[in-house]
Amino acid sequence: MIWLDTLGVKYIADSGNHRIRSIDLNGIIRTFAGTGATAFNGDNQPATLANLNTPYDVKTDTVGTVYISEYNGCRLRFVTADGIIGTLIGSTTCGIATTNVQLVTPTTAIGRVYYFWINSLGFLYFSERDNNYVRKVYYEIPTTSPTSSPSPLPSMSPSEVPSLLPSCNPSIHPTTTPTAIPTASPTTNPSLSPSALPTVLPTSSNKYYLMTIAGNGVAGRTGDDGSAILASLNQPVGIWGDSNDNL
């Protein structure tokens, strides 16, 4: 995958070399993220020191954050404008996450992701190939109003990331049923300690969510002319939206 940002910088998902490369306006290529090794070696560090496992897609948002789908790592990563990498969603194993549940730690297990899309509001959508879903990540600012609507995902910092969890067989076609795992508390995650909280984001009381947009989790091709979440998908890969935010 190749992405061109608003400044004219090109980003290349160099999947076989487990790196994201960038080409500046002078035609000079550099490694933007990744070391060439694949074993996860943590967040909250310069992206050039972080391992990536088969990055497939790369995109930028309007504030300079770069997002990366790490296919065999079963993660969506992000790199802030100052070059620090974090995990938006994903865990040490592939799995199936519960939908429409508050995300409280950066350990939500998801299936393999090829491609994703960020719409004009900042919502991030991704195709979850293994689990036959199309998902959406968004956040909601706490309010006393029962009619409040979700706000878009902000520019993320490695210390403020969502998650929620089951794990399952990490094969391309998982056959095991995910086991329930107790909901994690933010206090159990060092990255969410008060001293590590970012200063440019909403407070840690914000509620982050994962939503299923399409697919019922069963591989198939049924469901046309009906609700997208009741339809069957079979290993969805590509995803895109138009200027009206139609997916």
Side-chain angles (χ1 to χ4, degrees):
M1 180 68 184
I2 299 174
W3 181 256
L4 179 68
D5 73 9
T6 56
L7 299 177
V9 177
K10 303 174 184 69
Y11 294 88
I12 302 168
D14 194 1
S15 300
N17 289 319
H18 309 290
R19 290 178 167 92
I20 299 296
R21 315 288 288 275
S22 65
I23 302 176
D24 66 21
L25 299 184
N26 296 316
I28 305 301
I29 191 169
R30 296 179 176 85
T31 293
F32 176 81
T35 64
T38 59
F40 179 72
N41 67 340
D43 291 320
N44 305 305
Q45 62 176 320
T48 52
L49 301 180
N51 297 341
L52 299 176
N53 193 344
T54 322
Y56 255 92
D57 197 4
V58 57
K59 289 182 175 67
T60 58
D61 66 14
T62 58
V63 294
T65 305
V66 177
Y67 296 86
I68 302 163
S69 65
E70 195 177 346
Y71 177 72
N72 281 327
C74 294
R75 293 174 184 266
L76 283 168
R77 310 291 290 276
F78 62 92
V79 180
T80 58
D82 57 356
I84 303 300
I85 196 168
T87 295
L88 173 63
I89 190 169
S91 185
T92 54
T93 60
C94 301
I96 303 176
T98 307
T99 189
N100 299 333
V101 175
Q102 183 177 347
L103 310 179
V104 292
T105 72
T107 54
T108 301
I110 58 173
R112 290 174 173 85
V113 176
Y114 272 108
Y115 300 113
F116 61 93
W117 175 60
I118 304 171
N119 76 357
S120 61
L121 299 176
F123 296 130
L124 190 148
Y125 299 80
F126 63 94
S127 56
E128 197 173 353
R129 179 187 185 274
D130 293 2
N131 298 327
N132 304 303
Y133 288 121
V134 172
R135 308 273 208 167
K136 170 184 176 181
V137 178
Y138 67 101
Y139 80 96
E140 179 178 63
I141 298 175
T143 176
T144 57
S145 170
T147 59
S148 61
S149 59
S151 300
L153 192 72
S155 174
M156 300 297 294
S157 163
S159 56
E160 175 98 5
V161 286
S163 234
L164 69 157
L165 32 189
S167 78
C168 69
N169 191 324
S171 63
I172 290 180
H173 304 288
T175 57
T176 58
T177 300
T179 55
I181 300 178
T183 301
S185 167
T187 58
T188 65
N189 190 328
S191 69
L192 292 179
S193 64
S195 61
L197 289 175
T199 58
V200 296
L201 296 177
T203 67
S204 59
S205 59
N206 284 357
K207 298 177 180 179
Y208 291 85
Y209 292 92
L210 177 71
M211 174 182 287
T212 297
I213 297 300
N216 60 16
V218 178
R221 59 169 304 276
T222 62
D224 283 352
D225 301 314
S227 172
I229 61 174
L230 299 179
S232 294
L233 304 176
N234 195 344
Q235 299 181 17
V237 174
I239 184 171
W240 194 252
D242 65 18
S243 58
N244 295 317
D245 294 333
N246 295 309
L247 193 65

